[in-house]
Amino acid sequence: MKFDTPATTNPIDRLKVVGKPTDRVEGPLKTTGTAPYAYEHRDFAATQAYGHVVGSAIAKGKIASMDLDAAHAAPGVLAIVTAANAGKLGKGDFNTAKLLGGPEIQHYHQAIALVIAETFEQARSAAALVRVEYTREKGAFDLAVALDTAVKPPAMFGTEPDTSVGDFAAAFAAAPVQLDQRYTTPDHAHAMMEPHASIANWDGDELTLWTSNQMIAWSVGDVAKTLGIGKDKVRLVSPYIGGGFGGKLFVRADAILAALGAKAARRPVKVALARPFMFNNTPHRPATVQRVRLGATKEGKITAISHESWSGDLPGGGPETAVAQTRLLYAGADRMTMMRLAVLDLPEGNAMRAPGEAPGLMALEVAMDEMAEKLGLDPVQFRILNDTQVDPEAPSRPFTQRQLNKCLETGAEKFGWAKRGKPGATRDGKWLVGMGVAAAFRNNLNANSAARVRLSGSGVVTVETDMTDIGTGSYTIIGQTAAEMMGVPLDRIVVKLGDSSFPVSAGSGGQWGANSSTAGVYAACVKLREAAAQKLGLDPIDAVFADGKVKAGRRSFALGDAAKDGELVAEDMIEFGKLAEKEQQSTFGAHFVEVGVDSMTGEIRIRRMLAVCAAGRILNPKAARSQVIGGMTMGAGAALMEELAVDKRFGFFVNHDLAGYEVPVHADIPYQEVIFLDEVDPNTSPMKAKGVGELGICGVAAAVANAVYNATGARVRSYPITLDKFIDKLPEIA
Amino acid sequence: MKSFTYERVDTPAAATAAFARTKGSRYIAGGTNLLDLMKLEIETPGHLIDISRLALDKIEPTPEGGLRIGAMVRNTDLAADARVRRDYGLVSRALVAGASGQLRNKATTAGNLLQRTRCPYFYDPNQPCNKRNPGSGCAAIGGFSRLHAVVGASEACIATHPSDMAVAMQALDAAVETVDAAGKTRSIALADFYRPPGTTPHLENMLAPGELITGVTLPKPVGGIHIYHKVRDRASYAFALISVGAIVQPDGSGRVALGGVAYKPWRVKAAEAEMPRGAKAVATALLAGAKTSHENAYKLPLVERTLAGVLMQARG
């Protein structure tokens, strides 16, 4: 089904199932521990062997020698895979560093061997016996030092590194009120609960991988390319994923090494990355240095706006696209954005929840707060004043829907924003209390997505698509979509996901999954409706699918009757045309945060958070609320505690476990609320929905930062905002 | 993890005898720290002696009017004990500020005292660490040192001791009771229990090989207001940046011990004499001779400010 004109009224608009707050259909499996995750498949329990990864102990250099004798001689060891014996390996399109290193080492904890043994304990113990001598080489590990060497990177996914409209320099110089500030954000870890894990089994030259992966079709391609086999020889199965956040968009060492290990041991092999490997073996969100300049009239109209960002990555990697939102969020005639990329020899950088916008808004939305103060304007009003209903870099492109102002106004009213005091002026006992606001912005992206639907004689509809559920609710919204389309309750739908033998979906990434994958199911269901009507001798145009029946005029059948001679199968793909080029599709929100800061110690404690979101039709308000709350929590972490500490001498992330890399716990955020504004966007798909999973994190950290400033009067421009950075600015002690 | 053998013992005498019998032995109780370290091969015992079922799980009054806490009393039970809450509130408050409910259910009193540093370089076998691999150097010095010691450290090691409970016990003049393989018992003041790192940071306490902690005694209650303020980046389940355990008497005198600043709970008698003069005087005396890095220099003002807050709270 081509989607190249805005949607008109369709069966989804009935909203009998779609749009209802619905419990996750797979929830009971997860809460009872019966949903099999990648490492838990039992298909080969009798024959499987265990692989344990050996990681490089240095960040850059070469393996001088590798002594495997002791490991080979250890009890239970079946085989050891290294670059020296693995045969020629390619590199996936989505990988920057090789997944099996050696002799060249590209980063700390790059996998250099897999030890395979009869038991997990034997494999781990033998892995510690691998003796490696290295020749260290000097590397670049410090972004601040590497800034001067940064260059203009090539365009990524159609995103140009530089944009410019008008004459920013002249407009900024002429602006009566100016702001010019630098901000830094640190490297972040996805830190999901389930580590990367895979089980590999070869049947002749055909490989099956049970794995934990967000993008099945991309990863089938990269497994095939890395191993040098045909895509038709690779099957990926990933029905349940214990968190991804972008860390599982790509094939990682667990999958490739499990496949190589299974070949070497002639047995099914399972591999999970140990927790320390989750920080230095896998990708992370890269640190940034950002400069924001704003020029405004005395009345608060932005006349000049620029945003520059520097980040680093391994050779061949890409930048953190931290300036992306600044191209679209606020008005201003003269503007420019710029990204520069330095070479760093740290583990590779890559996508993490809302790549670009998440760190970009951490700078821009603090700059907006600072500018509002300079202008003597309320920060909510300053943002509203600079709203734009068109793409400010290309004013002929309107936004399809843009309710940023309403998000800000609604939030301000619900949150009690009017009670916000001057910086450092509100006290509650020993606590300095402050409120902060920030805009949330993330583009809505669409990706072609296919599905197959089957109707059985009993009236059960089965959906098959390689779409993934990374804890987001894909199973449920896909089920809701099929139920709505076929006119049956949700319990008549079976949803099967995450298997590369199913039609190729959009996958889970860039908050494009929900709208795109349900639109693909919509397309397949349209075909199934046609097939069912035809089978029942009804005119597909007149047939109404409702209450488990198919009716046209006076004739009425049970839905299952259409399949009583045999299962009906339909398959289709939603193919997105050029609507998104003509009009800009984005999601908007406003985050409000109240914090208390201990006036003695500087400890920051969030008191309450509110998000108001406008993101198209909300397919399942319960699941969407959970997504936004998760994003808010992650944003709170980015504001207050999350930082991969770089050892600039040895070139690695030091705090490589969940005790050292702190993420928020329940006690950190006592109260969170989410409001969705009514919105349907016929330009996005027949579902009229948009992404929401990444909108939730966008702007949160800046709202926290602005609240800390409002509480203390101390501005910290280097994340995370920890007490050591402003303890000297707290009130004098008696 | 290296392969190891395992046995379970029922009496302290059986425990120390088992230790003497088998080379490479280690005692294991709650296992909340030792198991993690074994997985990383930072600890590589060949034999584990499970002492978790020893009948050392009682909290009893001592003839001197204090309390004797069995070595196997779980952190959760100790924190909840009515006598501890009434007379030694600092211990309860410090305990519940540490770890998580699940860990406190497993962790024992003796194990809490013997937990090892959380220095991230200690936890990475690829990095030099004099505590883990004597003579290899200290990666934390000149590295990521935001969480490290500011007093009592050496050129060989700047690790801190992570226990909260020990900070409270040190403020209360607790003593560690032990027994050895010959059946000889002794009592070591907690103040003298931990060894300064010096050139041998791998030697962390005064226990002889095989010597078993049987309990901790607290002297009779000292009264006063007990406050434990643990400062950390997140609200729960995090090790201290610094912590202040204080007992403040109505006349303004009192005691203070610090966590997160040294290889042991840090208490300086001379500093306590300054209590009536306020936080600055006390902190200055407590942190005399402090040596900081760019990353942990904040601990000095943080101690003073936290202490000031604690004293303010004590005044009501």
Side-chain angles (χ1 to χ4, degrees):
Chain A
M1 176 184 287
K2 291 241 188 299
F3 184 76
D4 46 17
T5 55
T8 53
T9 301
N10 67 46
I12 296 295
D13 295 322
R14 297 184 293 186
L15 298 180
K16 286 197 162 89
V17 192
V18 169
K20 295 272 189 281
T22 306
D23 287 348
R24 293 218 221 141
V25 294
E26 87 289 13
L29 290 180
K30 289 180 174 171
T31 52
T32 56
T34 47
Y37 287 82
Y39 202 70
E40 299 167 341
H41 282 276
R42 301 287 297 163
D43 306 53
F44 304 111
T47 54
Q48 70 200 6
Y50 294 78
H52 199 78
V53 179
V54 179
S56 168
I58 65 163
K60 188 172 165 65
K62 288 197 169 53
I63 295 173
S65 68
M66 212 168 180
D67 180 354
L68 305 178
D69 291 351
H72 269 301
V77 172
L78 300 167
I80 302 176
V81 175
T82 68
N85 65 20
K88 190 171 161 8
L89 295 177
K91 187 166 73 63
D93 292 340
F94 294 97
N95 297 133
T96 305
K98 288 181 176 174
L99 296 178
L100 178 58
E104 190 201 353
I105 297 298
Q106 295 168 288
H107 65 85
Y108 188 73
H109 268 181
Q110 184 174 28
I112 55 171
L114 183 79
V115 177
I116 303 125
E118 294 285 354
T119 70
F120 168 76
E121 289 77 11
Q122 288 171 334
R124 182 173 61 183
S125 175
L129 298 174
V130 173
R131 291 281 162 262
V132 189
E133 298 293 330
Y134 299 94
T135 311
R136 285 181 192 257
E137 286 167 25
K138 204 167 167 300
F141 307 123
D142 187 344
L143 178 60
V145 171
L147 284 186
D148 295 340
T149 65
V151 298
K152 183 174 170 177
M156 260 180 54
F157 290 109
T159 303
E160 291 296 327
D162 295 358
T163 61
S164 177
V165 174
D167 185 344
F168 168 77
F172 182 70
V177 186
Q178 298 170 343
L179 180 99
D180 182 352
Q181 279 299 353
R182 284 165 81 91
Y183 306 87
T184 62
T185 64
D187 298 286
H188 286 155
H190 303 86
M192 56 285 204
M193 287 288 278
E194 183 204 24
H196 294 275
S198 296
I199 303 177
N201 180 57
W202 290 91
D203 184 359
D205 62 350
E206 295 187 355
L207 171 68
T208 301
L209 272 169
W210 283 261
T211 189
S212 187
N213 189 285
Q214 300 174 225
M215 297 295 296
I216 300 299
W218 289 5
S219 297
V220 165
D222 269 2
V223 168
K225 193 170 176 188
T226 307
L227 297 177
I229 58 178
K231 280 204 246 186
D232 59 330
K233 303 293 186 193
V234 179
R235 182 175 166 218
L236 249 57
V237 189
S238 182
Y240 299 106
I241 297 164
F245 309 122
K248 293 173 181 167
L249 288 166
F250 318 117
V251 172
R252 296 302 311 168
D254 58 302
I256 297 302
L257 291 176
L260 293 170
K263 187 162 251 183
R266 300 172 191 280
R267 296 259 294 269
V269 165
K270 61 196 290 187
V271 177
L273 295 188
R275 185 57 66 179
F277 277 74
M278 295 301 293
F279 297 87
N280 283 290
N281 178 273
T282 73
H284 64 278
R285 188 203 298 283
T288 65
V289 174
Q290 302 180 49
R291 181 189 189 193
V292 179
R293 281 176 289 173
L294 301 172
T297 66
K298 288 205 167 74
E299 295 72 35
K301 280 275 186 192
I302 295 174
T303 53
I305 179 168
S306 85
H307 194 161
E308 297 153 88
S309 175
W310 291 260
S311 58
D313 203 355
L314 287 167
E320 179 68 25
T321 56
V323 306
Q325 71 290 321
T326 309
R327 294 169 178 173
L328 288 160
L329 191 48
Y330 296 115
D334 294 285
R335 48 203 303 133
M336 71 87 119
T337 66
M338 189 195 92
M339 290 186 279
R340 291 294 177 265
L341 178 64
V343 168
L344 287 182
D345 298 298
L346 292 168
E348 77 182 67
N350 220 316
M352 179 168 148
R353 199 173 198 171
E357 280 92 338
L361 285 161
M362 288 165 79
L364 177 65
E365 287 299 285
V366 172
M368 289 295 286
D369 200 66
E370 296 199 57
M371 190 60 161
E373 186 177 37
K374 274 198 173 202
L375 290 160
L377 285 173
D378 181 287
V380 170
Q381 289 310 313
F382 178 50
R383 287 177 173 87
I384 288 173
L385 195 58
N386 288 288
D387 185 48
T388 173
Q389 292 292 315
V390 298
D391 174 351
E393 288 190 351
S396 64
R397 296 178 69 234
F399 286 93
T400 56
Q401 304 270 353
R402 180 174 162 124
Q403 300 197 74
L404 174 59
N405 288 1
K406 197 171 175 195
C407 289
L408 288 161
E409 287 161 352
T410 305
E413 194 201 319
K414 299 276 185 201
F415 199 69
W417 180 252
K419 293 197 191 110
R420 174 175 168 268
K422 291 200 183 324
T426 307
R427 277 268 190 171
D428 175 7
K430 70 172 179 175
W431 296 95
L432 305 167
V433 181
M435 292 188 207
V437 66
F441 173 92
R442 174 79 175 150
N443 278 334
N444 179 66
L445 305 171
N446 302 313
N448 293 350
S449 196
R452 184 159 56 222
V453 282
R454 304 172 181 276
L455 174 64
S456 76
S458 59
V460 170
V461 178
T462 301
V463 186
E464 296 170 343
T465 166
D466 82 358
M467 180 60 189
T468 48
D469 189 324
I470 61 172
T472 40
S474 304
Y475 278 104
T476 312
I477 57 171
I478 283 172
Q480 288 174 277
T481 302
E484 193 78 72
M485 290 301 289
M486 302 313 295
V488 294
L490 187 54
D491 63 11
R492 305 299 285 165
I493 308 291
V494 175
V495 181
K496 296 183 176 176
L497 300 181
D499 187 325
S500 63
S501 67
F502 299 151
V504 174
S505 75
S508 297
Q511 77 169 12
W512 61 60
N515 180 53
S516 303
S517 71
T518 53
V521 174
Y522 170 96
C525 286
V526 167
K527 276 204 171 167
L528 185 61
R529 286 161 61 109
E530 287 167 6
Q534 219 154 32
K535 199 85 186 173
L536 297 168
L538 303 176
D539 181 347
I541 307 288
D542 299 334
V544 175
F545 290 70
D547 306 321
K549 297 197 159 46
V550 191
K551 296 181 202 169
R554 290 178 163 186
R555 303 178 63 198
S556 173
F557 299 91
L559 176 63
D561 291 352
K564 75 177 176 228
D565 304 335
E567 189 182 56
L568 283 188
V569 183
E571 182 174 333
D572 202 5
M573 173 165 75
I574 190 86
E575 290 179 80
F576 291 96
K578 298 195 168 176
L579 281 179
E581 289 175 26
K582 290 181 206 141
E583 297 188 29
Q584 177 60 35
Q585 300 177 13
S586 302
T587 62
F588 296 88
H591 289 286
F592 291 81
V593 174
E594 183 177 87
V595 301
V597 180
D598 187 315
S599 58
M600 303 305 287
T601 64
E603 290 162 283
I604 302 166
R605 296 291 175 252
I606 288 175
R607 296 184 156 203
R608 56 197 181 101
M609 305 178 84
L610 168 69
V612 184
C613 300
R617 171 175 282 157
I618 300 303
L619 302 172
N620 179 344
K622 191 167 186 177
R625 180 176 185 276
S626 292
Q627 280 297 293
V628 175
I629 281 180
M632 291 159 79
T633 305
M634 225 166 172
L640 298 178
M641 60 193 83
E642 290 189 44
E643 174 176 24
L644 284 165
V646 180
D647 189 304
K648 291 161 188 161
R649 306 160 303 170
F650 301 130
F652 72 108
F653 300 128
V654 183
N655 48 343
H656 59 195
D657 59 34
L658 291 174
Y661 186 86
E662 292 180 11
V663 299
V665 295
H666 286 85
D668 284 301
I669 310 174
Y671 186 81
Q672 290 174 302
E673 197 45 79
V674 183
I675 296 169
F676 292 107
L677 297 186
D678 284 336
E679 185 171 299
V680 283
D681 194 333
N683 279 54
T684 62
S685 84
M687 304 303 293
K688 305 172 187 175
K690 290 174 179 169
V692 73
E694 297 186 332
L695 181 65
I697 191 177
C698 291
V700 177
V704 175
N706 294 337
V708 172
Y709 173 73
N710 182 242
T712 62
R715 183 72 75 179
V716 177
R717 300 184 182 87
S718 150
Y719 291 95
I721 302 171
T722 47
L723 58 89
D724 43 318
K725 293 176 182 168
F726 64 94
I727 190 167
D728 57 336
K729 300 193 181 72
L730 287 170
E732 290 286 317
I733 54 174
Chain B
M1 188 186 277
K2 298 275 190 214
S3 292
F4 58 89
T5 51
Y6 169 92
E7 72 181 297
R8 187 190 291 166
V9 292
D10 297 327
T11 64
T16 53
F19 197 101
R21 195 163 51 236
T22 314
K23 206 167 163 251
S25 282
R26 287 275 278 155
Y27 298 126
I28 185 165
T32 59
N33 190 205
L34 183 59
L35 270 178
D36 283 349
L37 294 166
M38 286 170 65
K39 289 174 185 172
L40 295 165
E41 297 196 7
I42 293 163
E43 297 265 15
T44 52
H47 185 64
L48 286 184
I49 301 161
D50 184 348
I51 54 170
S52 64
R53 282 147 177 97
L54 298 189
L56 299 171
D57 57 351
K58 309 274 186 314
I59 304 173
E60 297 159 325
T62 62
E64 295 78 27
L67 276 187
R68 183 176 188 284
I69 302 157
M72 291 302 118
V73 173
R74 306 284 158 167
N75 287 178
T76 298
D77 298 329
L78 181 57
D81 185 88
R83 293 159 294 181
V84 173
R85 291 175 62 185
R86 186 187 64 223
D87 296 332
Y88 306 95
L90 199 59
V91 172
S92 279
R93 291 178 186 127
L95 278 165
V96 297
S100 65
Q102 293 92 332
L103 286 166
R104 294 194 296 268
N105 287 343
K106 287 294 288 179
T108 62
T109 304
N112 189 315
L113 294 176
L114 294 178
Q115 62 181 308
R116 307 200 67 189
T117 184
R118 307 296 162 150
C119 171
Y121 293 99
F122 174 70
Y123 273 80
D124 186 341
N126 290 326
Q127 307 308 326
C129 171
N130 289 320
K131 194 182 267 302
R132 173 169 32 76
N133 185 11
S136 62
C138 173
I141 295 174
F144 171 61
S145 57
R146 180 171 179 261
L147 307 171
H148 287 77
V150 293
V151 281
S154 73
E155 294 297 317
C157 183
I158 58 170
T160 58
H161 196 272
S163 173
D164 292 295
M165 181 193 79
V167 175
M169 287 182 167
Q170 180 125 345
L172 288 160
D173 288 333
V176 180
E177 297 193 336
T178 70
V179 64
D180 68 11
K184 199 172 137 243
T185 61
R186 63 168 172 156
S187 177
I188 311 165
L190 189 56
D192 304 324
F193 183 72
Y194 297 105
R195 285 175 189 261
T199 56
T200 56
H202 60 292
L203 303 175
E204 296 180 342
N205 56 55
M206 305 308 286
L207 294 176
E211 189 174 4
L212 179 75
I213 298 179
T214 53
V216 173
T217 53
L218 299 176
K220 68 178 190 201
V222 295
I225 292 170
H226 291 215
I227 299 172
Y228 190 76
H229 192 141
K230 180 178 184 179
V231 182
R232 43 191 158 175
D233 290 325
R234 66 178 168 190
S236 176
Y237 197 39
F239 295 101
L241 299 173
I242 64 111
S243 67
V244 172
I247 300 167
V248 185
Q249 302 297 346
D251 64 0
S253 68
R255 307 173 176 193
V256 182
L258 303 177
V261 298
Y263 65 93
K264 66 170 185 176
W266 197 252
R267 193 173 163 204
V268 176
K269 291 273 179 203
E272 290 172 6
E274 304 284 337
M275 287 279 282
R277 252 165 292 192
K280 190 175 189 65
V282 179
T284 302
L286 268 170
L287 299 171
K291 208 173 152 192
T292 62
S293 71
H294 169 68
E295 290 184 347
N296 68 13
Y298 73 93
K299 290 193 176 190
L300 306 189
L302 183 58
V303 164
E304 183 187 332
R305 296 188 67 99
T306 307
L307 184 57
V310 165
L311 295 180
M312 206 188 297
Q313 187 186 337
R315 283 198 300 269

